[in-house]
Amino acid sequence: MNGPPLKRTLLTFYKELFRHFGPQHWWPAESPFEMIAGAILTQNTSWKNVEKGLIPLREGNYLTPRRVFELPESQLAELIRPAGFFNVKAKRLKAMARFIVEQYGGSLTRMFSTKTPLLREQLLEVKGIGPETADSILLYAGNAPVFVVDAYTRRIFSRHHLIQETDTYPDIQRIFIRHLPHHAPLFNEYHALIVQTAKVYCKTKPNCQACPLGYLLELEDVH
DNA sequence: CACCAGGCAAGTA
DNA sequence: TACTTGCATGGT
């Protein structure tokens, strides 16, 4: 009935995925603020389209909190158009830039010197920053040991019966944080590997045969 | 043609 | 509290 302890299982999953895929080099951004912009643009959007929205921002040298804060919303929306949801995302980018400028004088160094739990609460107050975006920013731009939960994490780990379908975001996050070493590079790589795994093996039709975790799924299903 | 993508906020009951 | 819906482009 009970498999090996969760602590070991979660590390086994990580090792298998890393062995199969290798390092993912997340987050692909040239600066912390570009990473933050990407985190907003990628909400329910493929990374391919996010890149297309980031290019005009990069080429126009708009990727600082102050520049985005000062950019008219309609103009910002046009620049990021290929990323989809461009009107809401323009609002969200502006809200985030405004937060950084007004609360931290436009300095991400100062922002990330704030204690992680407090900064997380502050980020969640910003319209357009939800749990996943906040945690992505903390982990990938702030290098804080925070585990990012997404739809793929749910899909994969519930399939393996390691979490419940009804588990909420904080439930799932607690499970990972409680059972893994609090090490930012590990959390960084783990989340990236989960996304990569889902992209390749869990699309419309799951391919558990070819998945590096496929054999683990069979073991779990034996109960 | 349908369906999905590295979510979130606002509205409804 | 627990669902639902709008947001929008681009790839498969």
Side-chain angles (χ1 to χ4, degrees):
Chain A
M1 181 88 184
N2 284 332
L6 205 43
K7 193 171 168 184
R8 200 168 78 198
T9 306
L10 293 182
L11 273 176
T12 301
F13 274 46
Y14 173 77
K15 287 179 191 166
E16 288 300 306
L17 294 181
F18 188 86
R19 190 163 64 84
H20 186 81
F21 288 112
Q24 298 300 299
H25 307 293
W26 274 30
W27 189 286
E30 293 177 4
S31 69
F33 187 70
E34 180 178 316
M35 184 273 139
I36 290 171
I40 291 169
L41 293 186
T42 199
Q43 290 169 355
N44 204 47
T45 301
S46 67
W47 186 255
K48 199 86 174 184
N49 285 352
V50 173
E51 284 176 320
K52 295 183 179 188
L54 283 174
I55 288 168
L57 297 181
R58 210 179 288 135
E59 293 186 343
N61 281 319
Y62 293 122
L63 286 171
T64 74
R66 222 170 280 281
R67 291 300 301 275
V68 168
F69 178 52
E70 289 168 359
L71 204 55
E73 191 177 306
S74 58
Q75 192 182 338
L76 182 56
E78 282 311 310
L79 291 171
I80 64 172
R81 174 180 276 275
F85 301 132
F86 49 84
N87 287 314
V88 291
K89 284 174 181 173
K91 273 189 179 36
R92 291 173 182 185
L93 283 171
K94 295 258 301 174
M96 184 63 200
R98 181 188 188 100
F99 168 75
I100 299 165
V101 168
E102 292 186 347
Q103 303 302 316
Y104 294 102
S107 165
L108 290 178
T109 303
R110 265 204 266 166
M111 185 179 92
F112 286 121
S113 70
T114 308
K115 283 187 173 299
T116 301
L118 173 59
L119 178 55
R120 187 175 194 275
E121 290 309 307
Q122 293 176 348
L123 290 174
L124 291 174
E125 292 293 311
V126 180
K127 289 304 177 189
I129 307 298
E132 185 180 340
T133 307
D135 289 334
S136 294
I137 291 169
L138 292 168
L139 175 60
Y140 290 103
N143 200 36
V146 170
F147 202 90
V148 177
V149 177
D150 69 341
Y152 294 147
T153 311
R154 264 209 177 70
R155 192 182 301 173
I156 293 174
F157 289 86
S158 65
R159 255 175 210 173
H160 287 264
H161 309 291
L162 298 174
I163 62 175
Q164 306 297 316
E165 301 279 0
T166 53
D167 282 344
T168 64
Y169 189 104
D171 292 334
I172 299 168
Q173 186 176 51
R174 264 194 299 276
I175 290 171
F176 282 90
I177 291 184
R178 183 168 299 160
H179 295 285
L180 289 170
H182 294 189
H183 192 219
L186 171 65
F187 291 165
N188 176 323
E189 202 62 50
Y190 207 156
H191 174 67
L193 285 167
I194 287 168
V195 172
Q196 179 62 17
T197 305
K199 276 183 182 170
V200 177
Y201 298 110
C202 307
K203 283 275 179 159
T204 37
K205 282 187 183 281
N207 184 359
C208 300
Q209 288 298 328
C211 177
L213 302 180
Y215 78 99
L216 294 166
L217 185 57
E218 289 178 25
L219 290 179
E220 292 293 336
D221 278 343
V222 172
H223 333 151

